[in-house]
Amino acid sequence: MPENPRSAHPNSGPSCACGSPTRSGAPTLAPPVHDPTFMATGEHGIEQADIPAGSFLMGDSSGDENPGDGETPQHMVTLDAFRIDATTVTNSAFARFITQTGYRTDAETWKFSAVFHSAIQADLADIIGPVAEAPWWFGIHGADWAHPYGRNSSLDGLENHPVVHVSWNDANAYCEWAGRRLPTEAEWEYAARGGLAEAKYPWGDDEVDARRWRVNIFQGQFPQHNTGHDGWHTTAPVRSFEPNGFGLWQTVGNVWEWCQDWYDPTYYAFPPAMSPTGPDSGTVKVLRGGSYLCHASYCNRYRNSARSSNTIDSSMGNAGFRTVERSKSR
């Protein structure tokens, strides 16, 4: 599970996603074959937030951009009104999709996925080994959406946690079944800001501290020791902490969220002003929001404007998704 180097910046990590590996180039394993075409009959069941039409300044306003990520230049974007999930898709919601369709995720087809070293629940024989330049990630046979920490784990008690170990392919297949789509990167950032213009975080510009936990991120010394002072060592339930001004829960921290767009670090130089949908093509898809592994000393991407990316078949224990109501025009 080799890394996907993108930037020489010390905080960037392979493909970022707080150091998550890509699936590209995985040795000795044949790639999965997907033909997921479903009737839009799924029972989505996730609470919706109504996002008003409007304009906002997209991109880094605080000077915290990681070089190479392409968070600048800031640019004005105008969007139509849309409806988006108030939370990321939960394990229980994803389980309904699997039960009704029989779909197999990329992690299940590949028969392994990436698990953070301190969360592994697997027999020694299932441990493939660490990623070369991100040794806190281990390839684990049997890790998938229903076994998030390895073959010896389950979803007991995690029904209302975000589903993880889902690739962009998997998230898109769920959207087809539910008659929905993934948010564009611009929609995601506008919704995440919650109406606070140019704020660094969904709650404003105040930094995270132990007096008032606002987000599920890594505390302590990354990657060796997580104090868990925010109450969680891996994912938290989707309605933890406080929603933003639009009623969205945990747009930053907890899990990275797949977006519809192809990723290009130069895209902000000449973006459309009206409802941008990203480049026409690419090799990796956008991820937004950071995760429970983000830490200021390593991956400060738990910010509204932070960007990351990964290949469409990559899965890991800190990435999920939320969906948008599909309009007739899309």
Side-chain angles (χ1 to χ4, degrees):
M1 298 176 65
E3 66 281 2
N4 180 25
R6 266 221 341 254
S7 168
H9 189 270
N11 282 346
S12 59
S15 185
C16 188
C18 291
S20 64
T22 68
R23 189 79 69 182
S24 301
T28 71
L29 294 171
V33 176
H34 276 290
D35 185 20
T37 302
F38 306 118
M39 296 294 291
T41 57
E43 299 175 7
H44 180 51
I46 302 291
E47 177 189 357
Q48 298 296 289
D50 290 304
I51 310 300
S55 300
F56 77 109
L57 199 57
M58 186 173 181
D60 176 39
S61 60
S62 62
D64 291 285
E65 174 189 13
N66 288 291
D69 283 358
E71 292 182 49
T72 55
Q74 285 186 287
H75 52 286
M76 191 63 66
V77 169
T78 299
L79 296 172
D80 295 329
F82 60 98
R83 303 187 82 211
I84 188 171
D85 295 342
T87 72
T88 50
V89 172
T90 62
N91 284 313
S92 61
F94 198 77
R96 287 196 298 273
F97 159 63
I98 297 295
T99 298
Q100 292 186 24
T101 64
Y103 178 82
R104 287 178 59 81
T105 62
D106 277 331
E108 290 171 290
T109 305
W110 285 99
K111 302 186 186 303
F112 75 102
S113 190
V115 179
F116 190 63
H117 71 96
S118 63
I120 295 170
Q121 297 179 28
D123 294 337
L124 186 61
D126 283 336
I127 300 176
I128 300 171
V131 176
E133 294 185 16
W136 43 90
W137 282 110
F138 278 66
I140 303 295
H141 284 301
D144 55 44
W145 73 274
H147 307 88
Y149 310 125
R151 202 184 310 272
N152 297 339
S153 65
S154 72
L155 297 181
D156 289 348
L158 302 178
E159 293 83 0
N160 290 320
H161 285 236
V163 65
V164 292
H165 296 290
V166 285
S167 68
W168 187 93
N169 289 330
D170 303 330
N172 191 59
Y174 176 97
C175 287
E176 289 188 17
W177 166 77
R180 300 179 67 80
R181 61 176 175 82
L182 292 170
T184 66
E185 186 175 16
E187 288 171 337
W188 188 96
E189 183 171 325
Y190 182 48
R193 290 182 175 278
L196 297 180
E198 298 189 72
K200 185 175 179 178
Y201 304 111
W203 57 84
D205 293 320
D206 293 342
E207 296 297 337
V208 176
D209 62 53
R211 292 171 296 178
R212 185 182 181 189
W213 288 111
R214 302 174 185 267
V215 61
N216 179 18
I217 55 174
F218 197 98
Q219 310 96 51
Q221 185 177 3
F222 184 88
Q224 293 86 5
H225 177 61
N226 186 355
T227 66
H229 283 161
D230 63 7
W232 308 97
H233 284 88
T234 57
T235 59
V238 296
R239 283 181 173 79
S240 300
F241 307 102
E242 297 176 2
N244 70 7
F246 287 154
L248 274 67
W249 297 79
Q250 295 193 89
T251 52
V252 301
N254 214 24
V255 293
W256 284 96
E257 300 180 23
W258 289 108
C259 291
Q260 176 178 287
D261 308 29
W262 292 108
Y263 170 80
D264 181 347
T266 68
Y267 183 69
Y268 284 11
F270 303 100
M274 295 291 296
S275 301
T277 58
D280 292 334
S281 61
T283 59
V284 290
K285 289 285 188 176
V286 170
L287 284 158
R288 283 301 207 110
S291 81
Y292 61 82
L293 293 182
C294 279
H295 188 278
S297 69
Y298 172 73
C299 178
N300 68 338
R301 288 173 174 84
Y302 50 97
R303 297 175 287 106
N304 290 328
S305 63
R307 310 176 74 201
S308 188
S309 62
N310 215 327
T311 56
I312 62 173
D313 60 350
S314 291
S315 63
M316 49 277 184
N318 67 336
F321 66 103
R322 71 181 75 212
T323 75
V324 168
E325 186 175 70
R326 185 182 294 166
S327 67
K328 293 181 180 179
S329 62
R330 288 186 183 272

